Amino acid sequence: MTPRPTTQEEHRPRGLGLRPSINWLLIFAPVAVLLDRVGHVPAGFVFFCAAIAIVPFAGLIVKGTEQVAAHAGATVGGLLNATFGNLPELIIALAALRAGLIEMVRASIIGALLANLLFALGLSFLLGGLRHWKQEYNPRAVAAFSSTMVLAWLSLALPSAFHRALGEQAAQIQYVALDLIVAVVLLSLYGLFLLYSLRTHPETFAELGAPAREEASDHPGMARGILMLLIASGGAAWMSEILVGAAEQASRSLGMSQMFMGVIVLAIVGGAAEAGSAVAMARSNRIDLSLGIALGSCVQIALFVAPILVLLAPIIGSTQFQLVFSQAEMWMLFGAVLLGSAVTMSGHADWFKGAQLLALYLIIAVVLYLIPGAPA
C-alpha cells in the first residue's frame, strides 16, 4: 500500500497552540471585577478594563449570531443579535438610573441610536464594500426600518418639545402621564413590529441570495449558538454594569462631559456586539443580515429600551425618567435618520456610502468632545 504523501502543513511544528485571538482579552474581566471590588483604584483603570473585557464577549456574540442565522435565517438571526446585543445598553441605563445619572442615561439612548445608524452601519458598508464591489440587499426591509425610525424620532421629539414649551406651566402629573402614554404606545408598536416581521409579512425582510439553512440533523449547532449568545450577553452585561459604575469619575478625570461619555464612549462600548456582528456579516457578503442587526437594534432601542426605562425607573427607586431630550440630541438623531434613509434607499451598499455615515459620526463626536460643558 502506497503511503499517503504528507503535506507541508503536517510537517509544520504545531507549537503550543497559542494563536492570536481576542478571547485572550477575557482576562480583563476578572481584573475588572477585582479592581471594582478592591476600591481605592483610579476609576479610569476600572473603566478601561471593563471596556476591554466587553470586546471578546462581543466576539462570542458574533459567533453565536452566525450559528443561529445559519439555521433561522436573517430576520430571526438579526432580531436575536439585536436583543442580546442591546442587553449591555439596557444594563448600563438601569445602573446609571440607580446611580441618579439621568442625563447620562438620555445621552446613552441617543448615543446607542447614533452608534448603530452611523458607526455600525457605516463600518459595515465600508469594510464590506472594500471586499465586495457592490452588495445588494432587500430594499423593502430597509423601507420598513426607515419608516419605523422616523416614527420613533417623532415619538421622542414631541414629548421633548412639550416639556420645553410648557416648562413650569404644566403640572408634574401631566408630564408623567405623557411619558407613560408614549411609552405604552411605543412598546405596543414594537410588539406589532415583531408580529409584522416574523409572522404576517416575513417576506418583506427576506434575505437576498440567502445561503441554504442547515438541516434538522444540525440543530445542535443552533443550540450551541443560542447558548453562546446567552453566556456572552451575560458577561457583557456584567462588564457593562462595572463600566457605568466607573463612568462618572472616569469622565471627570478625562475632562469629558456626561453627554460625550454617554453619546460616544458608552454607546460604542455597549454596542460593540452589534457593530462586530454587523461588520462580520457584511464582510461575509450577508449584507441583509448586517442591516437587520444595525437597523433592528435601532428599532429595538427606540421602541423597547427607551420606553421600558420610563416604566422601570420608579420601580428601581429612581426618579421618574422623562423623555426629555435636548435640541442638540434631537437634531443629531434627525440628521442620522435622514442620512441613513438616504444612503440605504437605493438597495445596494458600497464603501463610499459607509464613508458618508462614518464622516457624520466623526463630526458629531468631535463637536461633543470640543464642548465639554455641552448641556445634556
Side-chain angles (χ1 to χ4, degrees):
M1 180 177 179
T2 304
R4 182 177 62 87
T6 57
T7 63
Q8 185 178 359
E9 288 291 329
E10 290 173 319
H11 283 299
R12 185 175 298 171
R14 294 187 182 274
L16 298 177
L18 300 178
R19 296 180 300 173
S21 171
I22 63 172
N23 290 337
W24 286 102
L25 297 179
L26 287 171
I27 190 63
F28 283 93
V31 172
V33 174
L34 180 63
L35 294 179
D36 185 55
R37 297 288 176 85
V38 168
H40 306 293
V41 177
F45 288 112
V46 180
F47 184 89
F48 173 79
C49 291
I52 294 298
I54 290 178
V55 174
F57 286 121
L60 292 176
I61 291 178
V62 172
K63 294 181 181 178
T65 302
E66 291 174 344
Q67 293 188 19
V68 173
H71 298 272
T75 303
V76 177
L79 176 62
L80 283 175
N81 181 269
T83 300
F84 287 106
N86 282 332
L87 185 59
E89 276 102 335
L90 183 58
I91 297 297
I92 286 174
L94 291 175
L97 279 178
R98 286 198 299 268
L101 304 175
I102 304 296
E103 303 302 336
M104 188 177 289
V105 175
R106 295 194 184 100
S108 67
I109 291 175
I110 300 298
L113 293 171
L114 294 176
N116 282 285
L117 269 173
L118 301 178
F119 181 73
L121 192 59
L123 202 60
S124 299
F125 278 16
L126 177 64
L127 298 182
L130 290 176
R131 172 173 286 189
H132 308 279
W133 180 74
K134 189 176 181 181
Q135 295 179 296
E136 304 285 344
Y137 53 81
N138 187 349
R140 293 181 299 170
V142 172
F145 282 125
S146 298
S147 61
T148 305
M149 280 308 303
V150 171
L151 177 59
W153 179 82
L154 290 170
S155 300
L156 297 178
L158 289 176
S160 300
F162 178 83
H163 283 266
R164 287 195 300 270
L166 295 186
E168 299 295 332
Q169 300 179 27
Q172 183 64 25
I173 187 65
Q174 292 177 284
Y175 291 137
V176 173
L178 174 63
D179 291 331
L180 290 177
I181 292 173
V182 172
V184 171
V185 170
L186 290 178
L187 286 173
S188 301
L189 183 61
Y190 182 64
L192 294 176
F193 177 80
L194 294 180
L195 178 65
Y196 178 77
S197 60
L198 297 176
R199 191 69 177 176
T200 63
H201 291 73
E203 69 281 356
T204 302
F205 300 86
E207 183 179 7
L208 297 182
R213 298 185 188 180
E214 303 291 339
E215 297 298 328
S217 59
D218 291 326
H219 279 177
M222 184 174 183
R224 284 193 300 269
I226 294 177
L227 180 62
M228 189 180 298
L229 283 172
L230 288 171
I231 295 175
S233 298
W238 191 10
M239 291 301 102
S240 298
E241 190 165 5
I242 296 176
L243 186 79
V244 77
E248 186 177 20
Q249 294 183 17
S251 65
R252 291 175 182 173
S253 62
L254 296 174
M256 301 176 182
S257 66
Q258 283 195 25
M259 189 173 184
F260 179 83
M261 179 65 74
V263 173
I264 303 300
V265 180
L266 291 182
I268 290 179
V269 174
E274 298 101 307
S277 299
V279 170
M281 294 300 104
R283 289 186 56 84
S284 299
N285 204 24
R286 300 193 65 183
I287 194 65
D288 284 279
L289 182 54
S290 180
L291 282 160
I293 292 170
L295 299 182
S297 181
C298 289
V299 169
Q300 195 171 72
I301 291 168
L303 302 187
F304 179 76
V305 174
I308 206 68
L309 290 175
V310 174
L311 301 179
L312 291 181
I315 298 176
I316 64 176
S318 174
T319 56
Q320 178 68 34
F321 177 70
Q322 298 179 331
L323 298 174
V324 185
F325 299 92
S326 69
Q327 294 187 35
E329 290 169 327
M330 287 291 94
W331 275 111
M332 287 187 295
L333 183 57
F334 173 77
V337 172
L338 181 63
L339 181 60
S341 298
V343 163
T344 57
M345 66 186 300
S346 63
H348 72 270
D350 54 56
W351 65 266
F352 182 67
K353 292 182 177 180
Q356 290 176 305
L357 294 170
L358 290 174
L360 178 57
Y361 191 72
L362 179 61
I363 291 172
I364 291 174
V366 171
V367 168
L368 293 179
Y369 184 78
L370 293 179
I371 311 177

